[in-house]
Amino acid sequence: MENLLLWGFYILTFYAFLPGIISRTFGFRVFKRGQAKREIALTFDDGPDPHYTPLLLDLLAKYDAKATFFVVGANAEKHPELLRRMKAEGHEIGIHNYVHKSNWLMRPKAVKKQIYRTSEIIRQATDTKPSFYRPPWGIVNLFDFANMGYLQIILWSSMFGDWRKRVGVERLTKRMMKKLQPGEVLLLHDCGITLGADQDAPRTMMAALNTYLEEGKSQGYRFVNMTEMIALTDKARSSRKRPMGVMKKTLVRLWLGWEKLFHILFRIQPIDSGQSIFHYRIRPYRGKTLQLKDGHRIDNKDPIIELHFDNKKLFDLMSGSRSLMQMAIQVIREVEKALPKLAAQLSERKELGTAQGLYGISMINRGSESFGFSIIELPDGVFSRMTRFYLKMLIRILHPGGNKRVSDKQTSLVPRIVAMSMEEFRSRYADNEPMSKDLAPKSGKDERKAAQVTLPEEEAKQKAARELVP
C-alpha cells in the first residue's frame, strides 16, 4: 500500500505538478509575456456569453482594440454567430477546452478530444482553424507539451480576479492600471457561468476595461491580438546581437526560478508592484559598524532596508543593450525611477520607521555615490569570498557576454557594500515628485531643487555610466 501511494505521488508530480511549475516559472513551451514598445495583448476566457460578449465587442470597437478570445467549446457551439462576429471585427479565437475542466483531472486522450472538438466548432463557424490554446486555469499536464501539434499554448502575464463581482469596479480598475505596460498579456473573462465565477462579474470587468482602454489610448498604447504580439516579440528577439545557446537559456531560467523562490522564502517585497529594478526587505544588520559619508552610521543589529536587484530586469537590460555603456545608462535610469517609488512605499509602512538606512551588496556599485550611497569595502573573510563567488557566477550566467566580462574585468568586478542613512534617503527622495519621462526638470525652481536633491542630469549619467563600466 505504501509503495502504491509513493508511485501515485511520483505520477502526480511528473504528470501534473512539475509541468505546471515549469511552464509558469520558466515559460517552457508557452507564451506568457511579449516584448513590445507600445502594444498590449487583451485576452478573454470562458465565453462566448450571449449577453456580455456582444457588449464587450462593442466596447473593443469603440477603442479600435483587438483581442483574442479563448472560448469554451460548449458555449461556442451554442453561439456560432458570436464567433463569426469576432472574426469579422479582427479578433482571434483560441481554444479553452470543450468544458471548463482542469487538464490535471483528465487523461491525455481526453484532453486531445476536448481540443479537437472545440477546434472543429471554431472551424465550422469561421472557416478558420485556431492557432492558440489556453488550458483552463493555465494548468498543463506532461503530455500537453507534445500533443498540441499546430497549437501554441498561451498563458498570461497579468490577471486580476475579475471573475468575482465583489472585487468592484474601483479596485479592479486600480489593479489593471498597474499593468498598463508594453508587452503585457492580460487575462480577463467575458462569461461568468464557470464554477467559482459570478454571473454578473463581466459587467464589472467591462466598466474597468473601459477606463483602462481610454487611458491606454490617451498614452499611445495599441491593444492587439496574440498573433501581432507574438510577431512583435519575435522581431524584438531576433534583433538582439547576442543570441543564447540552449545551455545558457536553461541556466538563466533555473537561476531566475531560484530567485523567485528566494524572494518567497525570505519575504523580499517588490517595489511598484514588481515594476521596479529593486526589491527589498527589513532585517537587522549583522556586521561591523558602517561609517557613512554623511556622518551617520549603521551599527550591528540596527534595523536596515536591504536592497536586492531584480535580476530578471537586469538580464533584460543586458540582453537588449548594444553596449555595456548603454546598459549602464539604462540601469542608472531604472535606479532613478526606483528610489522615489521606494520612498513613497516605505512612507506607508509604519513598521519601517525604525530603519537606520538602506543596505546592499553588489558588483554594480561604481557611480552609486551620485544617488547618495556610501561605498564600503567588504571585510575580508569567508562571507566576502562566498559573496564574490556568488556574484561572479551571477554575472557569468545572466550577462550575455558574462564569461568574457568576468575575465576582462577581474579588478573592477569587486562586490562592495552600498549604504545610505535614512536621513540622507528621505532628504533626497521622500518629498520629491518622480521625474518626468525625459528625466529633465521643467522650471528654474524645479531645476535648482533637482540639482540639490534628486537625480543626475544627462552629463552626470554619462559620467556615472563610465564609472559603472570602466
Side-chain angles (χ1 to χ4, degrees):
M1 183 65 180
E2 185 177 347
N3 287 336
L4 285 175
L5 289 174
L6 187 60
W7 274 108
F9 174 77
Y10 286 153
I11 292 171
L12 180 63
T13 298
F14 286 99
Y15 178 73
F17 182 70
L18 279 182
I21 292 296
I22 291 170
S23 63
R24 288 302 305 171
T25 303
F26 303 124
F28 178 71
R29 298 290 297 274
V30 302
F31 188 95
K32 298 193 305 178
R33 195 182 195 285
Q35 296 178 25
K37 294 181 179 179
R38 303 301 293 176
E39 287 79 22
I40 296 170
L42 299 174
T43 70
F44 298 91
D45 286 8
D46 297 358
D49 181 274
H51 176 68
Y52 289 114
T53 301
L55 296 176
L56 174 58
L57 290 169
D58 292 342
L59 177 62
L60 295 174
K62 176 182 175 182
Y63 293 100
D64 192 28
K66 306 304 177 186
T68 302
F69 290 83
F70 290 94
V71 299
V72 172
N75 297 337
E77 196 169 32
K78 298 174 186 176
H79 304 287
E81 75 284 356
L82 291 178
L83 302 188
R84 288 189 284 270
R85 181 181 170 186
M86 289 173 188
K87 181 186 175 184
E89 295 182 6
H91 306 294
E92 289 180 325
I93 306 170
I95 299 168
H96 201 45
N97 282 0
Y98 183 77
V99 295
H100 201 280
K101 186 177 181 181
S102 170
N103 288 10
W104 282 5
L105 304 177
M106 294 186 287
R107 293 179 299 170
K109 188 175 181 180
V111 175
K112 194 171 184 178
K113 284 183 178 180
Q114 292 252 340
I115 292 171
Y116 176 77
R117 187 173 181 182
T118 306
S119 178
E120 281 299 293
I121 291 167
I122 296 169
R123 186 189 62 79
Q124 290 173 14
T126 66
D127 198 29
T128 302
K129 201 171 183 180
S131 301
F132 302 123
Y133 173 63
R134 175 176 287 161
W137 295 291
I139 295 174
V140 297
N141 65 43
L142 178 63
F143 296 98
D144 287 343
F145 295 136
N147 289 338
M148 292 299 101
Y150 60 90
L151 293 173
Q152 165 72 60
I153 301 176
I154 305 293
L155 298 183
W156 58 85
S157 60
S158 300
M159 67 175 178
F160 312 99
D162 66 302
W163 59 87
R164 303 307 299 267
K165 185 178 178 181
R166 67 186 181 192
V167 172
V169 175
E170 183 178 354
R171 186 158 44 149
L172 181 57
T173 302
K174 288 181 179 178
R175 290 179 182 178
M176 293 176 65
M177 286 302 182
K178 290 179 180 179
K179 297 298 181 179
L180 193 62
Q181 302 284 343
E184 291 286 348
V185 178
L186 270 57
L187 168 60
L188 297 165
H189 299 78
D190 61 325
C191 182
I193 63 173
T194 307
L195 180 66
D198 296 325
Q199 190 166 355
D200 292 333
R203 187 187 305 276
T204 301
M205 180 275 292
M206 284 190 286
L209 180 62
N210 182 66
T211 304
Y212 183 83
L213 293 174
E214 183 177 20
E215 179 62 23
K217 191 170 184 179
S218 71
Q219 293 188 28
Y221 283 99
R222 291 196 309 121
F223 299 93
V224 301
N225 58 34
M226 286 308 308
T227 293
E228 184 168 357
M229 179 58 74
I230 290 173
L232 289 167
T233 302
D234 289 343
K235 183 178 179 181
R237 288 172 177 168
S238 65
S239 66
R240 292 178 177 174
K241 293 185 177 180
R242 298 177 292 269
M244 288 192 298
V246 174
M247 181 61 70
K248 180 86 170 186
K249 288 180 180 178
T250 302
L251 287 173
V252 169
R253 287 170 177 168
L254 288 172
W255 198 286
L256 295 178
W258 157 247
E259 182 177 80
K260 288 184 179 181
L261 179 62
F262 179 83
H263 285 189
I264 293 170
L265 292 175
F266 292 94
R267 299 181 180 179
I268 296 173
Q269 303 295 315
I271 300 172
D272 192 27
S273 301
Q275 301 303 313
S276 168
I277 198 169
F278 286 133
H279 290 71
Y280 74 95
R281 65 168 175 161
I282 186 168
R283 71 167 182 88
Y285 167 68
R286 301 294 183 186
K288 295 180 180 180
T289 296
L290 301 178
Q291 189 65 49
L292 308 180
K293 64 182 182 180
D294 65 352
H296 291 87
R297 69 184 195 183
I298 298 175
D299 294 319
N300 188 41
K301 297 184 180 180
D302 279 349
I304 54 168
I305 306 297
E306 184 179 76
L307 295 180
H308 294 262
F309 273 116
D310 184 321
N311 287 320
K312 174 63 167 64
K313 289 185 171 55
L314 280 180
F315 171 71
D316 290 340
L317 289 175
M318 291 172 177
S319 300
S321 300
R322 295 187 298 273
S323 66
L324 288 173
M325 178 64 74
Q326 186 192 41
M327 182 273 291
I329 291 174
Q330 289 179 326
V331 169
I332 288 167
R333 286 175 174 164
E334 289 297 319
V335 173
E336 284 181 334
K337 291 186 289 185
L339 291 174
K341 290 178 180 177
L342 174 61
Q345 192 159 325
L346 296 182
S347 68
E348 297 174 358
R349 298 187 58 183
K350 294 181 180 179
E351 71 273 21
L352 301 179
T354 60
Q356 297 300 302
L358 276 63
Y359 170 91
I361 299 175
S362 178
M363 285 197 226
I364 305 177
N365 50 60
R366 298 183 59 146
S368 58
E369 296 99 332
S370 303
F371 299 102
F373 287 101
S374 300
I375 300 178
I376 303 169
E377 296 294 332
L378 266 175
D380 191 29
V382 175
F383 176 77
S384 175
R385 290 192 288 272
M386 290 179 62
T387 301
R388 185 176 288 106
F389 173 78
Y390 171 82
L391 292 177
K392 287 190 176 182
M393 283 296 297
L394 185 67
I395 290 292
R396 287 183 188 275
I397 291 173
L398 296 186
H399 197 289
N403 285 327
K404 186 175 186 300
R405 172 72 173 144
V406 170
S407 299
D408 291 349
K409 302 293 182 181
Q410 287 286 352
T411 58
S412 60
L413 283 176
V414 177
R416 294 181 174 92
I417 296 169
V418 292
M420 186 191 315
S421 70
M422 288 306 293
E423 288 79 1
E424 178 76 12
F425 178 66
R426 291 191 183 102
S427 70
R428 283 175 172 260
Y429 305 110
D431 299 320
N432 299 303
E433 292 295 325
M435 299 289 281
S436 62
K437 290 182 180 178
D438 60 5
L439 299 173
K442 297 182 181 297
S443 68
K445 181 178 179 181
D446 290 337
E447 187 172 356
R448 288 190 298 272
K449 186 176 181 181
Q452 295 169 7
V453 297
T454 58
L455 306 172
E457 300 287 345
E458 200 61 38
E459 289 185 7
K461 291 190 188 75
Q462 295 284 346
K463 180 181 178 182
R466 287 192 293 271
E467 294 176 348
L468 186 60
V469 186

